[in-house]
Amino acid sequence: MIIPTPVHLAAGTGRLTLDPRTTLSADAAAEGAARLLRTLLAPATGLPFVPAVEGTVDLAVDPALSPDCGEEGYRLTVTPERAVLRAARPAGLLNAVQTLRQLLPAEALADRPVTGTAWTLPCVTITDRPRYPWRGLMVDTARHFQPLAHLLRTVDRMALHRLNVLHLHLTDDQGWRMPVDAYPLLTEVGSVRARSMIGHAGSTRYDDTPHGGAYTKDELRTLVRYAADRGVTVMPEIEMPGHARAALAAYPHLGNRPEQRLDVWTEWGVCPTVLGVHDAVLDFCRTVLDEVMEIFPSPYVHLGGDECPTEEWESGPAALARTAELGLPAPKALHGWFLRQVGAHLLAAGRRPVVWAEDSTSTLPPEFTVMPWRDGDHGLAAARAGHDVVMTPHRSTYLDYPQSDRADEPLGQAGAVVDLHTVHANEPGPGHWTDAERAHVLGTQAQLWSEFVATPDQFDYLAFPRLLALADRAWNPASDWTTDFLPTLRSHAPRLAALGIHRTVLL
Ligand code: ACM
């Protein structure tokens, strides 16, 4: 009863008891996983896992397991005498540690001392590996700031469910959250908006409460390190050329009408003001991304690219001049040109640009990785054009939509219900794609846009249990909704409670 459902699990007989005398051994390559095991089990169990040459709990990296385990798989064998964790790579051992945590009584997940519980593991043999290398969660820190402590807790919960990419949406019209030394006003001005819209985009009501927040670079480094220790990569996103109003409020010269003073946007929806296309803007983007790359070692860096209205380019003298100079058919084509320029900067630095796609008309080179967010078949078009894709269709991966149509469901994004079954049914490699097209699918991820997510409790309510359905689907293609996922989810409820997640819609 583990989430995500392991690919091969054979139950044995008997149990192994962990107690204060339980010893632990780890080879050099397994030290990170051993440290993680001690760190994660200490708060609830207080168990020291005394170092030994041949421990009761034994962790080792064995490259010979590569054919079975790949980069992130593992083998976990529990007998009445020992728990043996093996993987071909250290990342696999981190996953084995998380599975071991789920085999223990649920109270083991608590963050405070638990007494009176026997820390026993059922005897079992698990051989497990993920279907996809990209199993993500996007967190929108712009619409509502998500404090570091909440992000760290979220990383813990992702790692427990063997999700491995935290996509951090750091900038948008309503706030800029990442400090940039070369452009200090991005956070001094761009991180605070005067008020927020109440209700959906187009509403005329506001709360008249300023909202703001920005990370320090030290906090972001802490997050990156903390996540890496848990096998999670933090991928930053800096939105361009649209969704950039907060940057324009800080630096009007980056806009299409430099004389215009703009506020950090207080509305929801698609903002008509976008970045200009003059040289100073490209310099700005490259400089910002250089500082981003200093903090985030992620091989992928997201450039946004979605929802960029082109009216300002169609009427702006600088954009019209740029269109003519480049010989482009129309100002709309500046969008692809812009992303190609900035993407080339990332590629030259050895990183891979990622963009959202909302149609099938990309003119970007195949080195760009694409997240189709409207229609899954936009991913098909991208795969045919040679792009790798991470499947993010809104009707099955957007957790900001309500999870039911019940009257007491909190306000969510309008237009759809994304229920638990729909998330679990999300097929990242659809059957009507060819094998070659499916080979471009890196994986899938959930999106938690935060227009209506002002508190950690609201975040958790939207994330759980739907994030678990996505984790299950991304890990194990054979996991069946009725016979695997649902029964496991029911038995998972005490674990969620031990993590402090109480208000969930469980079936
Ligand atoms: C998006 O939802 N605009 C990526």
Side-chain angles (χ1 to χ4, degrees):
M1 292 295 182
I2 287 161
I3 294 182
T5 317
V7 173
H8 293 290
L9 183 153
T13 50
R15 303 185 77 85
L16 169 67
T17 300
L18 308 179
D19 65 29
R21 293 178 309 276
T22 300
T23 54
L24 183 146
S25 45
D27 67 9
E31 264 169 23
R35 203 163 39 239
L36 183 67
L37 187 148
R38 286 195 174 96
T39 301
L40 293 176
L41 291 183
T45 71
L47 294 175
F49 293 101
V50 184
V53 176
E54 250 188 76
T56 303
V57 179
D58 181 59
L59 295 84
V61 169
D62 179 0
L65 289 174
S66 204
D68 279 344
C69 295
E71 287 293 305
E72 288 186 272
Y74 62 93
R75 190 173 289 164
L76 170 58
T77 312
V78 181
T79 64
E81 291 79 36
R82 294 188 90 191
V84 176
L85 290 69
R86 293 286 181 273
R89 309 264 302 126
L93 277 186
L94 300 179
N95 286 321
V97 165
Q98 299 293 354
T99 294
L100 184 134
R101 288 175 83 203
Q102 290 200 29
L103 289 173
L104 284 166
E107 298 78 28
L109 303 177
D111 64 0
R112 59 186 71 88
V114 173
T115 52
T117 299
W119 302 115
T120 69
L121 295 162
C123 292
V124 72
T125 302
I126 296 174
T127 306
D128 200 13
R129 66 186 295 177
R131 170 194 201 182
Y132 290 119
W134 190 306
R135 306 175 306 280
L137 169 65
M138 188 220 70
V139 175
D140 174 6
T141 69
R143 274 52 175 269
H144 280 99
F145 182 63
Q146 310 290 327
L148 179 67
H150 177 60
L151 295 181
L152 298 177
R153 199 161 47 231
T154 299
V155 165
D156 272 323
R157 293 162 176 186
M158 290 174 65
L160 176 63
H161 301 102
R162 289 176 261 135
L163 294 165
N164 66 349
V165 180
L166 172 61
H167 169 173
L168 211 52
H169 187 78
L170 285 163
T171 72
D172 214 301
D173 299 312
Q174 298 85 354
W176 185 289
R177 310 291 172 216
M178 146 118 194
V180 177
D181 296 335
Y183 293 92
L185 299 184
L186 287 171
T187 44
E188 282 172 28
V189 171
S191 73
V192 183
R193 63 175 180 266
R195 59 182 188 170
S196 303
M197 185 167 265
I198 296 176
H200 294 128
S203 159
T204 52
R205 297 202 301 132
Y206 294 87
D207 63 6
D208 293 323
T209 308
H211 178 81
Y215 303 105
T216 66
K217 284 192 169 178
D218 275 350
E219 284 181 320
L220 293 172
R221 287 193 189 96
T222 297
L223 175 65
V224 166
R225 221 173 18 243
Y226 189 89
D229 287 346
R230 286 152 181 77
V232 175
T233 300
V234 184
M235 177 184 68
E237 178 184 0
I238 304 293
E239 273 271 17
M240 61 187 76
H243 285 285
R245 171 74 163 247
L248 294 172
Y251 293 103
H253 78 278
L254 300 174
N256 292 282
R257 291 199 235 144
E259 74 291 351
Q260 192 179 33
R261 290 294 165 272
L262 297 163
D263 59 354
V264 178
W265 216 35
T266 59
E267 303 180 27
W268 310 134
V270 178
C271 182
T273 40
V274 303
L275 292 175
V277 291
H278 42 295
D279 289 342
V281 180
L282 295 176
D283 287 344
F284 165 81
C285 292
R286 294 184 191 111
T287 301
V288 166
L289 289 170
D290 284 344
E291 294 197 29
V292 166
M293 288 189 280
E294 250 175 58
I295 304 257
F296 297 95
S298 161
Y300 293 89
V301 175
H302 204 300
L303 299 177
D306 57 315
E307 297 180 318
C308 179
T310 52
E311 284 77 14
E312 286 195 333
W313 295 345
E314 278 149 31
S315 60
L320 289 171
R322 182 69 100 182
T323 306
E325 166 209 321
L326 294 167
L328 297 175
K332 269 191 193 337
L334 288 167
H335 181 259
W337 170 81
F338 188 109
L339 291 170
R340 283 195 298 278
Q341 305 311 301
V342 181
H345 186 67
L346 294 178
L347 288 165
R351 308 295 184 102
R352 298 192 197 177
V354 185
V355 290
W356 300 107
E358 56 216 6
D359 57 31
S360 51
T361 64
S362 161
T363 56
L364 298 172
E367 291 81 8
F368 280 71
T369 295
V370 166
M371 290 187 172
W373 69 270
R374 278 220 177 101
D375 182 337
D377 271 355
H378 296 151
L380 175 59
R384 284 184 180 155
H387 297 284
D388 284 343
V389 296
V390 177
M391 295 298 281
T392 56
H394 67 294
R395 285 183 179 278
S396 54
T397 68
Y398 273 33
L399 306 187
D400 54 326
Y401 284 99
Q403 52 201 312
S404 79
D405 54 11
R406 287 172 22 172
D408 62 349
E409 201 66 70
L411 181 74
Q413 210 61 262
V417 166
V418 174
D419 66 16
L420 186 62
H421 181 256
T422 302
V423 178
H424 197 262
N426 163 36
E427 175 45 72
H432 64 285
W433 297 25
T434 66
D435 287 348
E437 288 153 0
R438 275 196 296 270
H440 279 290
V441 177
L442 298 180
T444 185
Q445 73 175 29
Q447 277 56 242
L448 227 160
W449 303 102
S450 65
E451 283 92 335
F452 310 115
V453 185
T455 69
D457 275 353
Q458 290 168 342
F459 183 102
D460 290 348
Y461 179 75
L462 293 175
F464 300 98
R466 289 182 294 179
L467 186 60
L468 311 183
L470 184 123
D472 196 48
R473 179 49 69 230
W475 185 280
N476 182 355
S479 173
D480 180 79
W481 166 253
T482 309
T483 57
D484 296 314
F485 183 68
L486 277 189
T488 306
L489 182 61
R490 288 194 192 100
S491 75
H492 207 62
R495 297 187 191 128
L496 295 180
L499 293 170
I501 302 165
H502 296 289
R503 207 170 61 98
T504 53
V505 180
L506 290 178
L507 294 172

